[in-house]
């Protein structure tokens, strides 16, 4: 599966953005999906993940209550809705897929995802 992320940009603190990750190929519905981010000088970290059917989700502690991951299998797209953005959310955001996931599985580490989008930059100004 090939992934194309979009939706990043410059936003003031407290604002909102919605990231999209469009997939091509016929296996999207069998993929567990995740959003990672990497800030300058920091490791890439998983901020949210969702299982194949959308029934299980994971959120990194610092984004709980502010970010929401969702997916539309018919549109082959996964979203990251980001509210109440903070300057520390500034990073390049990547979507990632595991195309061998069982129904209830989701992954939060880089090594568990073999397919990556190109990244989209989110900048939050104070």
């Amino acid at each position: 599966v090939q992934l194309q992320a979009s939706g990043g940009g410059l936003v003031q603190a407290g604002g909102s953005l919605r990231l999209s990750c469009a997939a091509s190929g016929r296996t999207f519905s069998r993929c567990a999906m995740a959003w990672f981010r990497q800030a300058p000088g920091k490791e890439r970290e998983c901020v949210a993940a969702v299982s194949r059917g959308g029934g299980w989700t994971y959120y990194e502690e610092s984004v709980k209550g502010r970010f929401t991951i969702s997916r539309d299998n018919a549109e082959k797209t996964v979203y990251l809705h980001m509210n109440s953005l903070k300057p520390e959310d500034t990073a390049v955001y990547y979507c990632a897929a595991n195309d061998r996931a069982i129904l209830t599985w989701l992954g939060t580490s880089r090594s568990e995802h073999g397919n990556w989008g190109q990244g989209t930059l989110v900048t939050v100004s104070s």
Side-chain angles (χ1 to χ4, degrees):
V1 60
Q2 289 77 48
L3 305 173
Q4 180 76 33
S6 61
L10 174 64
V11 63
Q12 288 188 332
S16 299
L17 281 175
R18 187 185 75 166
L19 305 183
S20 300
C21 177
S24 60
R26 295 180 292 178
T27 62
F28 180 76
S29 63
R30 298 202 298 270
C31 292
M33 301 296 297
W35 285 97
F36 288 73
R37 68 184 179 188
Q38 188 165 18
K42 294 189 176 181
E43 295 289 321
R44 192 173 299 188
E45 63 174 353
C46 180
V47 295
V50 63
S51 59
R52 282 171 47 182
W56 284 263
T57 57
Y58 159 86
Y59 295 98
E60 194 274 329
E61 193 63 34
S62 69
V63 307
K64 283 183 179 178
R66 300 189 297 121
F67 290 12
T68 303
I69 188 170
S70 64
R71 65 187 295 160
D72 185 332
N73 284 349
E75 295 296 325
K76 299 182 181 179
T77 303
V78 62
Y79 302 98
L80 186 67
H81 305 260
M82 306 185 294
N83 297 319
S84 302
L85 283 161
K86 304 175 181 180
E88 51 264 43
D89 295 317
T90 295
V92 177
Y93 284 71
Y94 300 88
C95 57
N98 178 308
D99 61 4
R100 300 183 180 184
I102 62 172
L103 186 62
T104 59
W105 183 89
L106 54 82
T108 61
S109 68
R110 291 182 65 174
S111 63
E112 293 172 314
H113 297 84
N115 305 85
W116 291 83
Q118 84 288 4
T120 185
L121 176 62
V122 172
T123 303
V124 184
S125 63
S126 57

